[in-house]
Amino acid sequence: MTALETIEVLINLINTTDNLPAEAFNKHPDVLRAYAIVYGQDELNATLASKNDLHLNRFYSPDWALRAVVGQNAVATADIRVFFDKIENKYTRNWLILFLIERAVAEKEFELCEVMIAGLPDEDKGPVRYAGHRVLLKHYAATGNVVEFKKRLKLSKPAKFPKNEIGGFKALLIESFARENGYEKALELCGETIFGQQFAPAALRWTAHLMDLDKIEHILAEHASIVEHTPNAKADLYVRHFANQKPTTISDLDFNRVLEEVLRVDKDIKMGDGRLRDFLLMDLGSATSNQTQTTTCKKIYHLTVDKTGTILSFKK
């Protein structure tokens, strides 16, 4: 069976089993046949034998199996799209179209991307058009394409969920631009209203290991607006200088200098689900090859390390 034939089998299965409860789904002959086609009869037998909740939960997801088949086969994206358009459940169909847009971006099929994005509903949530634009926005961020990023930004509806995603893309763009054009040009770009000085550290983080601590301090002194907008930039860049090289030797003088800067960070400042200072301590402790320095970080922040000093986990 060809990849396209397998895709057709799975799409027909999605349509015919969409509303089936778990037990009926798990016993359906087409469900079993499709699983065997994708994963093999032996894997089907082993999977069914290992499940003890077949009356409560579906033992696999046809749309995830579909993603796997698409990912494993060199089939033209345009040909796959023809089959995807036949999916009756609009939410399932549109989530899979977003998946296909990501594939088309990877293949640099940008005209096809535009067609598929235009076919998504222009709504406020779910698998919608602005989410498709964000796939391209991320691509232009990763490639440092400022012109196309700016064109795509408004279409990506920055005020819509998740809002922090756009900030991440801006930081990625600044870093990618700095890699190609140098941090000085990237810092100039941060002066534009569309970005802002809060993204300036991204222009330096990737290259922090190529500067010594004095050079980092000099740059921050020259560009005072960086610290003004990101007060913990020095601590972050000091740690990144060594973390980008880990494992590495850190002199006691440099270690104490970095640690002193890290301890100036307000311990209540959040970073994701944790605290910024804790993450900086974890990165510093894992960067050094000196067990005593790792232990110092551990004492400040209760890190779990193995016998070699490698940090395994940390308590919040």
Side-chain angles (χ1 to χ4, degrees):
M1 182 173 288
T2 67
L4 280 176
E5 288 172 336
T6 302
I7 289 170
E8 186 173 25
V9 166
L10 288 168
I11 286 174
N12 289 336
L13 185 66
I14 289 170
N15 289 336
T16 57
T17 65
D18 189 43
N19 296 315
L20 287 183
E23 189 167 13
F25 175 89
N26 292 335
K27 293 179 179 179
H28 199 290
D30 290 345
V31 169
L32 301 175
R33 173 175 172 267
Y35 191 99
I37 289 172
V38 176
Y39 301 107
Q41 186 65 45
D42 290 343
E43 182 64 25
L44 171 62
N45 295 338
T47 299
L48 292 176
S50 67
K51 299 288 182 180
N52 56 14
D53 59 352
L54 292 174
H55 60 297
L56 296 175
N57 300 295
R58 292 185 171 201
F59 75 97
Y60 80 105
S61 167
D63 57 311
W64 281 102
L66 182 59
R67 291 168 189 254
V69 171
V70 170
Q72 293 165 3
N73 291 276
V75 183
T77 304
D79 292 338
I80 299 170
R81 181 195 166 217
V82 172
F83 288 98
F84 276 27
D85 284 341
K86 297 177 182 179
I87 298 173
E88 296 167 4
N89 184 306
K90 67 177 183 179
Y91 296 107
T92 301
R93 179 179 65 249
N94 290 336
W95 280 123
L96 285 166
I97 290 297
L98 280 174
F99 162 73
L100 209 55
I101 291 170
E102 292 174 351
R103 186 181 196 266
V105 167
E107 298 293 329
K108 295 183 170 55
E109 298 173 311
F110 298 115
E111 289 185 11
L112 180 57
C113 286
E114 299 287 6
V115 172
M116 290 190 288
I117 290 171
L120 292 169
D122 189 15
E123 298 172 359
D124 289 337
K125 59 183 180 179
V128 292
R129 191 173 302 165
Y130 78 77
H133 285 298
R134 288 188 182 191
V135 175
L136 278 172
L137 189 72
K138 182 179 180 180
H139 167 75
Y140 293 130
T143 54
N145 191 328
V146 178
V147 173
E148 292 299 329
F149 185 93
K150 289 179 177 179
K151 290 179 183 177
R152 192 69 47 175
L153 185 59
K154 186 175 181 180
L155 295 170
S156 299
K157 296 186 178 181
K160 298 297 183 183
F161 176 85
K163 294 181 182 180
N164 64 341
E165 187 175 52
I166 299 299
F169 294 160
K170 287 183 178 181
L172 178 60
L173 174 74
I174 296 299
E175 178 182 326
S176 302
F177 186 82
R179 288 178 183 272
E180 291 296 321
N181 302 281
Y183 72 83
E184 295 94 341
K185 292 290 185 183
L187 290 177
E188 289 178 16
L189 193 60
C190 291
E192 297 187 17
T193 305
I194 194 174
F195 299 110
Q197 293 297 334
Q198 67 268 33
F199 295 105
L204 300 166
R205 293 183 91 240
W206 70 276
T207 192
H209 60 289
L210 301 177
M211 313 170 185
D212 60 26
L213 300 184
D214 288 338
K215 175 67 172 177
I216 291 171
E217 187 162 3
H218 177 71
I219 292 171
L220 293 178
E222 279 190 328
H223 302 274
S225 58
I226 297 177
V227 176
E228 180 183 341
H229 289 85
T230 313
N232 300 306
K234 186 187 290 188
D236 176 58
L237 291 170
Y238 274 8
V239 171
R240 191 53 40 199
H241 168 77
F242 294 110
N244 285 359
Q245 307 177 65
K246 68 177 183 182
T248 188
T249 300
I250 307 177
S251 71
D252 287 338
L253 184 64
D254 281 346
F255 178 80
N256 290 331
R257 181 176 174 181
V258 175
L259 187 60
E260 181 179 346
E261 198 62 44
V262 169
L263 292 179
R264 287 196 179 102
V265 175
D266 186 336
K267 63 181 178 62
D268 293 324
I269 295 176
K270 294 286 188 177
M271 180 179 173
D273 294 331
R275 295 179 174 85
L276 174 60
R277 193 172 78 170
D278 296 337
F279 282 110
L280 291 173
L281 284 167
M282 182 177 68
D283 285 347
L284 179 60
S286 63
T288 179
S289 57
N290 184 312
Q291 178 63 47
T292 300
Q293 293 171 352
T294 298
T295 301
T296 298
C297 292
K298 177 177 179 291
K299 286 178 179 178
I300 298 172
Y301 183 50
H302 300 294
L303 302 170
T304 301
V305 298
D306 65 15
K307 292 180 180 179
T308 67
T310 301
I311 295 173
L312 304 174
S313 64
F314 59 94
K315 299 176 183 178
K316 295 182 181 178

